[in-house]
Amino acid sequence: MTPWLGLVVLLGSWSLGDWGAEACTCSPSHPQDSFCNSDIVIRARVVGKKLVKEGPFGTLVYTIKQMKMYRGFTKMPHVQYIHTEASESLCGVKLEVNKYQYLLTGRIYDGKVYTGLCNFVERWDQLTISQRKGLNYRYHLGCNCKIKSCYYLPCFVSSKNECLWTDMLSNFGYPGYQSKHYACIRQKGGYCSWYRGWAPPDKSIINATDP
């Protein structure tokens, strides 16, 4: 699964009989944006699931064992359940039970954590070292920066707090090199720029422990 921020595009009418005509479509999102726009970011293992009768196709409720939290300490310090639509056409996400550790992001509604295909949901072993370091400290440093998507040339930044995201122009496609290996971090003078490296840009303000 790839990190997305998304829109559910409903194809067909809103009548219950036409729910099967719906499809989930998400716009590309850099992992840092997914991190900064989420209420909850955790690493967890799925240990159970059940289908409950909510919505037209029901809701899948995953029971998880939280391994580590990266974002959401003040909102919900310990997450036990993750909710998602049962239908993938409504952006529901399918997770394996007792098989993998996952990086899970989501939003909190009415005291429950919800996630889906348009959130950043990925097997932990599929993340790059740079993405893991981003989750631990780099992405947080860049939440005041803006990642500007570039779909067509020419592209330009319009303010000093922007980083130009060009993965969509690459021959390698999306997600690309910037998604996998870079974070957009505020540097000296208030300018935001792409950062990659083993050492943090400013050791005085970063806890550089590995995730």
Side-chain angles (χ1 to χ4, degrees):
M1 267 167 284
T2 51
W4 306 92
L5 277 180
L7 305 171
V8 178
V9 178
L10 303 181
L11 306 177
S13 73
W14 284 93
S15 66
L16 188 59
D18 290 328
W19 278 106
E22 298 171 4
C24 175
T25 303
C26 308
S27 59
S29 176
H30 190 279
Q32 179 174 312
D33 275 345
S34 299
F35 174 92
C36 294
N37 291 322
S38 296
D39 294 326
I40 295 293
V41 181
I42 59 174
R43 173 160 49 107
R45 181 184 296 274
V46 178
V47 296
K49 69 177 180 179
K50 65 178 180 179
L51 180 66
V52 298
K53 294 182 178 180
E54 294 179 1
F57 293 109
T59 298
L60 276 175
V61 181
Y62 291 103
T63 303
I64 64 168
K65 180 181 180 182
Q66 180 175 308
M67 316 298 290
K68 184 169 182 176
M69 174 166 279
Y70 300 94
R71 188 172 179 85
F73 300 97
T74 60
K75 295 183 178 181
M76 188 179 290
H78 184 76
V79 180
Q80 188 175 2
Y81 302 104
I82 296 286
H83 298 70
T84 190
E85 294 286 349
S87 171
E88 289 183 277
S89 67
L90 295 180
C91 299
V93 63
K94 304 298 184 184
L95 304 175
E96 299 282 349
V97 177
N98 291 320
K99 193 170 184 180
Y100 304 110
Q101 288 187 29
Y102 290 96
L103 186 280
L104 301 171
T105 69
R107 302 300 299 270
I108 299 174
Y109 299 101
D110 296 328
K112 300 176 182 179
V113 179
Y114 288 85
T115 193
L117 293 175
C118 295
N119 296 94
F120 188 8
V121 177
E122 184 60 272
R123 279 172 42 183
W124 184 257
D125 61 356
Q126 298 296 314
L127 297 177
T128 65
I129 294 296
S130 295
Q131 286 174 327
R132 296 183 189 188
K133 288 181 176 291
L135 292 165
N136 203 49
Y137 55 87
R138 291 177 184 163
Y139 292 161
H140 176 75
L141 292 176
C143 284
N144 289 326
C145 296
K146 180 180 179 181
I147 297 176
K148 184 176 181 179
S149 300
C150 176
Y151 295 96
Y152 308 99
L153 292 175
C155 297
F156 306 97
V157 295
S158 55
S159 66
K160 67 179 184 179
N161 73 326
E162 291 182 346
C163 293
L164 196 61
W165 185 29
T166 59
D167 277 354
M168 286 69 71
L169 300 176
S170 169
N171 292 331
F172 298 102
Y174 172 83
Y177 205 73
Q178 287 173 315
S179 298
K180 294 178 180 179
H181 301 291
Y182 283 85
C184 177
I185 295 177
R186 189 179 299 277
Q187 307 288 354
K188 292 181 179 179
Y191 285 87
C192 293
S193 62
W194 291 114
Y195 174 79
R196 181 191 183 188
W198 296 108
D202 187 345
K203 292 183 179 180
S204 65
I205 61 172
I206 300 176
N207 176 5
T209 57
D210 285 329

